[in-house]
Amino acid sequence: MLMKLRWFSRAEDRLDAWITRQHQEHVLDGRTAPVGPCPGEAFLEGVARQSKQIALSDPRVDHAANCPDCMRMLLELRSQHLSRRRRLVFTAAVGCCLLIVAAFAMVSWRGSNTPHPADNMAAIPETIDLSNAGTLRGLPSNSAEPSPLQSVSLPAALVRVKIILPRFSRPGQYAVAVTRDQTVNDPLAHGNAAANGGGDQEEVFVDLDLRQSRPGAYFLSTTHEQDQASYYYPLQIK
Ligand SMILES: [Zn+2]
């Protein structure tokens, strides 16, 4: 049914176009008798633009539809108007595409720059040097009292800590935690990082969020992925 209607309306359009063409040829051949004087280009321009200010009942429209000179000018103006409009539509479409592309670019740029929760605040860089804590290596941590030399402090903030591990520490993955006592249960903050550096000095970089921590005495623990023992160092949170 819809197909039939569409076919019908297309056939109608073709018929209209054919009648219009026949009429145009008729007029252009000078086989019609226009009534009244030629209305001038400004008026024909309005007709070509299908200006709403021009009523189809206007006798000048009737003249233009039957005058070969006016018809020629009208066809010329009409094609100019159509190509101008096509250019305008094309420009608008290109403008739209550019806007969409710009919007997409903006969204993806903002997406890639959306800060992660931990990045909202810049992490404060801190360095903890445990390189002289080598005496503790190889001993179960809870049986050895760490020397006061190794006592370190961190601010109650989001910190990016570079930990210089005790000499001869093994490379690999380390778990780092800030704890209340010498157990890794319920740490205040923790993170994992791979030790890199090579040679006899290994370093790990780890982000620790100590913003919720109260100032006081805590422990910093390091645990190698293949070690069962954790090493604890006294830590002051300021
Ligand atoms: Zn005329």
Side-chain angles (χ1 to χ4, degrees):
M1 182 64 184
L2 197 68
M3 283 275 286
K4 223 170 184 179
L5 265 179
R6 209 174 287 155
W7 176 85
F8 183 72
S9 96
R10 235 180 292 154
E12 252 296 74
D13 289 349
R14 272 208 301 273
L15 183 66
D16 279 352
W18 181 78
I19 292 171
T20 306
R21 223 165 30 241
Q22 290 296 309
H23 175 73
Q24 274 173 13
E25 279 170 17
H26 206 67
V27 174
L28 295 172
D29 283 353
R31 282 182 272 161
T32 47
V35 181
C38 293
E41 195 174 334
F43 179 81
L44 294 174
E45 178 88 54
V47 176
R49 278 191 283 111
Q50 291 178 295
S51 164
K52 288 197 178 84
Q53 278 151 11
I54 293 167
L56 288 176
S57 55
D58 191 317
R60 288 176 294 178
V61 173
D62 197 54
H63 169 95
N66 290 291
C67 167
D69 295 339
C70 289
M71 178 68 80
R72 236 170 253 122
M73 186 170 275
L74 196 55
L75 290 173
E76 172 76 11
L77 291 170
R78 178 96 188 121
S79 88
Q80 281 174 13
H81 172 66
L82 285 178
S83 72
R84 230 182 355 252
R85 205 169 60 179
R86 266 197 295 273
R87 259 204 310 276
L88 216 68
V89 167
F90 177 74
T91 310
V94 167
C96 266
C97 285
L98 286 179
L99 271 181
I100 290 167
V101 167
F104 257 106
M106 188 77 112
V107 164
S108 59
W109 179 79
R110 283 177 69 173
S112 67
N113 282 279
T114 301
H116 298 288
D119 291 344
N120 275 339
M121 197 188 280
I124 299 169
E126 290 283 339
T127 300
I128 292 177
D129 187 356
L130 303 175
S131 55
N132 291 319
T135 48
L136 284 181
R137 288 294 300 173
L139 293 172
S141 58
N142 47 10
S143 71
E145 281 299 312
S147 92
L149 266 179
Q150 295 140 25
S151 182
V152 289
S153 70
L154 287 174
L158 184 64
V159 286
R160 174 155 297 165
V161 195
K162 171 185 171 180
I163 301 171
I164 302 167
L165 293 169
R167 277 187 225 289
F168 312 114
S169 291
R170 287 195 285 163
Q173 197 76 18
Y174 279 82
V176 175
V178 175
T179 59
R180 290 178 179 81
D181 50 30
Q182 293 190 41
T183 68
V184 285
N185 305 324
D186 190 26
L188 273 73
H190 62 93
N192 283 286
N196 51 55
D200 62 352
Q201 185 164 298
E202 295 288 337
E203 300 170 354
V204 291
F205 283 87
V206 67
D207 286 343
L208 296 172
D209 189 352
L210 301 172
R211 285 175 290 182
Q212 307 297 319
S213 312
R214 289 191 189 168
Y218 298 90
F219 291 93
L220 179 80
S221 84
T222 63
T223 313
H224 189 268
E225 59 183 344
Q226 281 160 11
D227 260 344
Q228 289 308 306
S230 296
Y231 296 91
Y232 293 89
Y233 307 93
L235 171 73
Q236 286 290 324
I237 292 182
K238 295 177 287 188

